[in-house]
Every structure is written in C-alpha cells, then in structure tokens.
Amino acid sequence: MNKRHFATLCAGLLAAAFALPAAAQQKVVWKASDVHPLGYPTVEAIMGMGKKLEAQTGGRISVQMYPSMQLGGEKEMIEQAQVGALQIARISVGAMGPVVDELNVFNLPFIFRDEAHMRKVIDGPIGTELLEKINNNPASRIIALGWMDAGVRNVYGKKPVSVPADLKGQKIRMMGNPIFVETMNAMGGSGVAMGFNELYSALETGVVDGAENNPPTLLAQNHYLVSKVYSETGHLIIPEIFIFSRRTWDALSADDQALLKKLSRETQFEERKLWDAKTATAEGELKAKGVTFVKADKAAFYKATQSIRDKYGVKYAALLKRIEETK
Ligand code: GTR
C-alpha cells in the first residue's frame, strides 16, 4: 500500500468511526412527566406531541412519558425541568405562580366568566404574552411551550356545600400557593396547602375533610372512592401549562426549537378536544360510582371571595382589565 492509499484508508476509517456514533448520539429521548395517569387528556396530548416529533424528525427525537407522579409532584417536576433532569413537564398554573408571579392572575377566584372566556384569554394575545414573559426571563430556567384546559374546580368531600356557611370547620386541601389557602378561608372553609401526591391518603385518613378539583381529576385520581359529594362552587378555572427545560432548549438547533413551538401550539388545541371528550363522560361515570353532584350558590362564593380579588388584583390591575374585556 502506498502512502496515498494508506492516507485515504485512514481518513475513511476515521470518518466511519466518527459518523456512526455521531448519528447514534443525535438520537435523543426526552423525558416528559405528569401527575395524571395514562388516558388523562394532558398525558395523551403530550404523548401525541411526542409521536409527531418522532415522525417529523425521522426518529431523531422521541418522548418517553412518565405519568402518575412517577417523577414526583409538580414542584419537583419544575425543579427537574430547571436542571435538565427532565424535558417536558405538564403542570397546573397553580404550581407555577410561585415561580412566575404574573401567572397568579389565573389563580384568582372567579377571574374568568366561564371556560369559554378562559380559552379566549389563553389562545389570544394575553396567553402568548404570558408565555413570552416566562421565556424572556432566564431566571425561570424554563421555556413555556403552551397552555392546556383543566376545566372548572369544585369542592368535594363528605358533605354537600351550597353556601359558604356549609364549609365552616371543614379542612379543604388546596394547592401550595398562598392565594388558594386564602381563597378557601374566604369561602368559609379552612384551607390546607398540601402536595397533590399526599392528597389521597389525607382524604382517606381524614387529615383533610375535602379538596377541590375538576371532575376528570376526581375520577382519575380515585378520590371519588373517599369523597362522595361534589359541590359545584366553580371558584377556580385554572389552565395548565406545559414547560420545557431551558437547559435542553438552549442546546437545540433553531429548526428544532421552531418545530417544538409549532407542535406545542397544535398540542394546546388537541388537548382541548381530549379534555371536552373526557369531561363529557366524567360526570356520568362519577354518578355511576355513587358521587352526588350538588348545585352551589356561586354568587355567594363570588361575593365571599371579593377580598382576594381586591388584595391580589391591585398588582395586576391592567392585565385584569384586559382579561375582563376579552370577549
Ligand atoms: C389538577 C391538575 C394537576 C394538579 C392538581 C392539584 O387539576 O391537573 O396538575 O395541579 O389539580 O390540585 O394539585
């Protein structure tokens, strides 16, 4: 073998040696996490996004879902996304308020007239601006990809709740954010901040008398087994948000970032379809499992919580005005 042939051979071997691992290295599996089980709309929507990502990157990027709190509660998920230990976390805006203050506008009681109003807000300029606020704030260490629907939250427990006086002396679990505890106190009960992962056993053992959430959650988390009365107080309509690790994001190509953004927007609307389908059947299923639905005096709860909107609303007055004007 002459020198030139030898050099060509070496170059070829080198190229082969680097080409294979490089191609193999490019294949990545993103970790996604949710507190809800398989079959829940938010979980299915993210898995759907994963399938699209895989198809549209020729298998280069795929998503592995860790449902049912396998990676911990929502606070832990945010922290893991921040350090890049997971890529996608689907969480309630309730859990995001302490991380990004402005999001707390969505955590105020009776801030949306109804679900349609909330949808208009998250789909429109306000929703986009809030996502961008998170993304333009490196201190958040996350990228907000999009919104999801999570219906209306109502009180559940062992006793019917029609008016604020019915909540007297009842310990009601709320998400870990001072606004929620104060809201429950204003509604007449006694708010207890507690992680979602501790709730089932707290309901079962009587550490709390009740909680509040949407019907698909009552069903999916089996809380209906220990809480048979669902009272339609309608005090909170809180959207969900799905976030991405900024650490992973910063290492992505501009094309991959654009693809992820596009698919996220699609996912926002796909989850909505899944949400509406799940909500349409959840009430019937819960009733069949022995849950009683109680109509509550929403006007009375609205009045009772005015102090919360007054207290927290001042800071967000301009934004709240825009929300109210969204038709
Ligand atoms: C559910 C929501 C969860 C979690 C939970 C809670 O509606 O989907 O992400 O936030 O409420 O009350 O903690």
Side-chain angles (χ1 to χ4, degrees):
M1 196 184 303
N2 65 26
K3 254 193 187 163
R4 232 186 66 206
H5 272 132
F6 182 67
T8 317
L9 183 67
C10 285
L13 281 173
L14 260 176
F18 280 104
L20 271 176
Q25 257 169 30
Q26 274 173 14
K27 274 205 166 192
V28 290
V29 182
W30 286 342
K31 278 190 184 171
S33 133
D34 199 305
V35 296
H36 290 301
L38 293 177
Y40 196 85
T42 55
V43 178
E44 295 305 309
I46 294 292
M47 287 170 65
M49 182 167 94
K51 288 205 186 91
K52 283 195 200 168
L53 260 171
E54 198 168 345
Q56 294 184 31
T57 60
R60 190 167 47 80
I61 301 176
S62 58
V63 171
Q64 168 76 46
M65 169 59 72
Y66 294 82
S68 305
M69 303 185 223
Q70 282 174 34
L71 301 183
E74 306 203 316
K75 202 167 156 275
E76 291 79 28
M77 286 185 207
I78 298 171
E79 286 162 8
Q80 289 173 61
Q82 286 173 326
V83 298
L86 65 78
Q87 279 65 47
I88 303 170
R90 197 291 308 156
I91 51 199
S92 168
V93 164
M96 278 292 290
V99 184
V100 183
D101 186 53
E102 253 116 341
L103 288 183
N104 276 322
V105 278
F106 290 171
N107 293 331
L108 291 172
F110 297 105
I111 225 55
F112 297 113
R113 291 183 292 275
D114 48 27
E115 279 179 279
H117 180 206
M118 189 280 285
R119 289 174 177 185
K120 277 252 162 69
V121 172
I122 58 172
D123 293 349
I126 298 176
T128 308
E129 281 166 37
L130 282 173
L131 293 180
E132 276 165 12
K133 270 233 159 85
I134 301 171
N135 299 344
N136 294 334
N137 171 10
S140 72
R141 292 187 287 151
I142 53 166
I143 294 292
L145 292 179
W147 305 101
M148 287 187 176
D149 277 82
V152 181
R153 294 175 82 102
N154 300 294
V155 172
Y156 56 87
K158 293 199 164 48
K159 293 185 192 153
V161 174
S162 308
V163 290
D166 295 334
L167 278 167
K168 192 156 191 278
Q170 290 213 50
K171 288 191 254 78
I172 306 294
R173 177 270 175 177
M174 304 299 286
M175 283 188 274
N177 183 329
I179 295 183
F180 299 136
V181 173
E182 288 176 43
T183 294
M184 182 43 65
N185 295 345
M187 284 170 71
S190 175
V192 178
M194 182 184 285
F196 196 47
N197 34 345
E198 296 162 59
L199 181 52
Y200 184 89
S201 73
L203 286 166
E204 196 180 23
T205 56
V207 167
V208 291
D209 303 300
E212 45 79 64
N213 224 311
N214 52 56
T217 295
L218 182 61
L219 188 62
Q221 298 290 336
N222 295 326
H223 292 172
Y224 68 88
L225 293 173
V226 283
S227 300
K228 294 279 188 224
V229 189
Y230 192 70
S231 305
E232 294 173 316
T233 46
H235 53 286
L236 287 165
I237 299 179
I238 309 177
E240 320 265 38
I241 192 164
F242 54 113
I243 60 169
F244 194 77
S245 168
R246 183 182 286 269
R247 257 189 114 163
T248 311
W249 176 267
D250 286 345
L252 294 181
S253 68
D255 282 352
D256 283 349
Q257 289 179 347
L259 176 64
L260 187 52
K261 277 211 162 158
K262 179 183 89 94
L263 294 182
S264 295
R265 183 79 182 168
E266 291 172 19
T267 303
Q268 179 162 326
F269 296 102
E270 269 146 33
E271 191 266 354
R272 183 163 299 163
K273 278 190 236 142
L274 296 166
W275 182 263
D276 284 342
K278 180 62 86 186
T279 305
T281 56
E283 183 170 333
E285 273 183 61
L286 286 165
K287 284 183 177 163
K289 291 178 190 301
V291 175
T292 311
F293 279 64
V294 175
K295 290 262 168 277
D297 182 352
K298 283 192 188 166
F301 286 104
Y302 179 86
K303 217 172 134 207
T305 52
Q306 187 57 48
S307 58
I308 307 296
R309 285 183 296 282
D310 290 345
K311 176 178 169 186
Y312 287 98
V314 190
K315 218 169 29 172
Y316 318 112
L319 187 52
L320 285 171
K321 188 161 177 282
R322 285 176 66 206
I323 291 178
E324 204 188 318
E325 284 165 358
T326 303
K327 294 272 146 59

